Amino acid sequence: MAKTKKERSVVSKIVSWTITVVCLAVFIYASYGLVDAIKDYYNNRQVLSNLQDIYYESNEEDTDSKWIRSGFDSLLAENEDVVGWITVDNTQIDYPIVQGETNNTYLYHNFYGEESRAGSIFLDFRNDIEALDYNTIVYGHRMKDGSMFQQLTKFMKEDFFQENRTFEFDTLYERYEAEIFAVYKTTTDFNYIQTEFDNDGEFKLFLLEIMKRSEHRADVDLSDADKIITLSTCDSGLDELTGRLVVHAKLTKIS
């Protein structure tokens, strides 16, 4: 038997109400996630801003330590895992570097060990900050608000790469100028985070492979006697899980 006009109206209202409730639930869920993300971004920026104040203010003070460089005493009081600081001009990158027992320690934890989707800028657990390896690796997330290592993407543009070829890498013990010589996208199938090499010749082959992969050419003198720093962040556009954006630079100690 065909439904009456009244019955069809009731069914229509029920369907409409159900769709409205579902849409509202989806909106509330999405809004909660968005608010949570915005809150996390805000907290991350506040933490980093406070650390910048601590670092630069203490840099202006004398230190009693014979080994730890000025600026790091105060940061070490906040977190004994701090090992350095990285500053890249014309980007937002001006951050402390920490090192955990594994590379998961600070992947989703901030400088104070609190859970954070932004995580921290951190040194590979295999590296020795006191006696740098052939390849020193620093990791950071690629956050949508432009923080952490997101702005490494700027180096994919030829003009920016050529005009911003150096950055500062400070450790607890030394200060370095880092001269960028390669930037590229890759997957983790390429072991660009190799830290140990059997000999200088193997390291030289590694350097040649890096330069071959680079998006841009750089006139940088490199030899197997040099040490490099590698900045690594995700590139989900290349691959959701294994895509990476990588920047390599030659380290020169500043006396």
Side-chain angles (χ1 to χ4, degrees), residues 104-120:
N104 288 324
T105 306
Y106 285 100
L107 187 62
Y108 291 109
H109 289 85
N110 68 15
F111 185 88
Y112 293 106
E114 303 161 338
E115 286 190 12
S116 167
R117 70 186 68 201
S120 297

Side-chain angles (χ1 to χ4, degrees), residues 142 185 234-240:
R142 187 171 170 174
K185 294 181 180 181
C234 295
D235 193 300
S236 58
L238 182 62
D239 186 276
E240 187 68 30

Side-chain angles (χ1 to χ4, degrees), residues 104-220:
N104 288 324
T105 306
Y106 285 100
L107 187 62
Y108 291 109
H109 289 85
N110 68 15
F111 185 88
Y112 293 106
E114 303 161 338
E115 286 190 12
S116 167
R117 70 186 68 201
S120 297
I121 302 301
F122 63 94
L123 187 73
D124 193 294
F125 78 100
R126 299 168 297 169
N127 283 135
D128 182 352
I129 199 64
E130 191 168 355
L132 297 187
D133 302 290
Y134 281 103
N135 186 15
T136 297
I137 304 134
V138 181
Y139 304 93
H141 284 303
R142 187 171 170 174
M143 304 307 292
K144 292 181 180 179
D145 67 343
S147 65
M148 312 314 280
F149 271 179
Q150 190 279 336
Q151 295 199 353
L152 289 182
T153 58
K154 289 185 172 183
F155 288 101
M156 291 297 289
K157 296 181 179 179
E158 175 78 24
D159 289 348
F160 189 86
F161 177 85
Q162 297 298 347
E163 293 169 8
N164 298 271
R165 291 287 302 285
T166 63
F167 62 88
E168 294 177 22
F169 173 55
D170 290 286
T171 77
L172 298 179
Y173 313 101
E174 302 287 351
R175 184 183 179 200
Y176 297 90
E177 178 183 75
E179 186 178 9
I180 299 171
F181 64 88
V183 57
Y184 56 88
K185 294 181 180 181
T186 185
T187 63
T188 52
D189 292 336
F190 173 50
N191 189 21
Y192 67 92
I193 59 172
Q194 183 175 351
T195 59
E196 295 184 0
F197 299 85
D198 291 336
N199 49 58
D200 290 346
E202 184 183 357
F203 180 57
K204 187 173 183 178
L205 290 175
F206 177 72
L207 293 176
L208 290 172
E209 178 62 28
I210 287 172
M211 290 186 283
K212 185 172 72 174
R213 289 171 177 262
S214 182
E215 289 290 320
H216 315 301
R217 292 290 168 259
D219 185 19
V220 177

Side-chain angles (χ1 to χ4, degrees), residues 65-109:
S65 173
K66 294 181 180 180
W67 305 109
I68 304 301
R69 297 178 57 240
S70 175
F72 287 105
D73 286 333
S74 298
L75 287 178
L76 285 166
E78 300 289 321
N79 182 353
E80 62 182 11
D81 286 343
V82 66
V83 292
W85 193 278
I86 183 171
T87 306
V88 182
D89 289 343
N90 297 313
T91 74
Q92 293 182 29
I93 299 172
D94 189 21
Y95 303 132
I97 303 171
V98 290
Q99 184 179 37
E101 293 184 0
T102 74
N103 284 343
N104 288 324
T105 306
Y106 285 100
L107 187 62
Y108 291 109
H109 289 85

Side-chain angles (χ1 to χ4, degrees), residues 4-16:
T4 65
K5 184 176 180 180
K6 182 177 181 180
E7 288 173 330
R8 288 197 298 271
S9 178
V10 171
V11 171
S12 178
K13 287 180 179 179
I14 292 174
V15 171
S16 178

Side-chain angles (χ1 to χ4, degrees), residues 13-98:
K13 287 180 179 179
I14 292 174
V15 171
S16 178
W17 181 83
T18 302
I19 292 174
T20 300
V21 170
V22 171
C23 289
L24 183 61
V26 170
F27 175 76
I28 292 173
Y29 178 79
S31 297
Y32 176 78
L34 180 61
V35 170
D36 188 51
I38 292 173
K39 181 181 178 181
D40 203 26
Y41 285 137
Y42 174 78
N43 289 339
N44 182 57
R45 286 181 176 274
Q46 288 297 108
V47 166
L48 293 172
S49 178
N50 290 338
L51 291 172
Q52 287 166 356
D53 288 343
I54 292 172
Y55 178 65
Y56 287 111
E57 286 175 8
S58 59
N59 251 326
E60 298 173 359
E61 301 171 0
D62 292 331
T63 177
D64 295 329
S65 173
K66 294 181 180 180
W67 305 109
I68 304 301
R69 297 178 57 240
S70 175
F72 287 105
D73 286 333
S74 298
L75 287 178
L76 285 166
E78 300 289 321
N79 182 353
E80 62 182 11
D81 286 343
V82 66
V83 292
W85 193 278
I86 183 171
T87 306
V88 182
D89 289 343
N90 297 313
T91 74
Q92 293 182 29
I93 299 172
D94 189 21
Y95 303 132
I97 303 171
V98 290

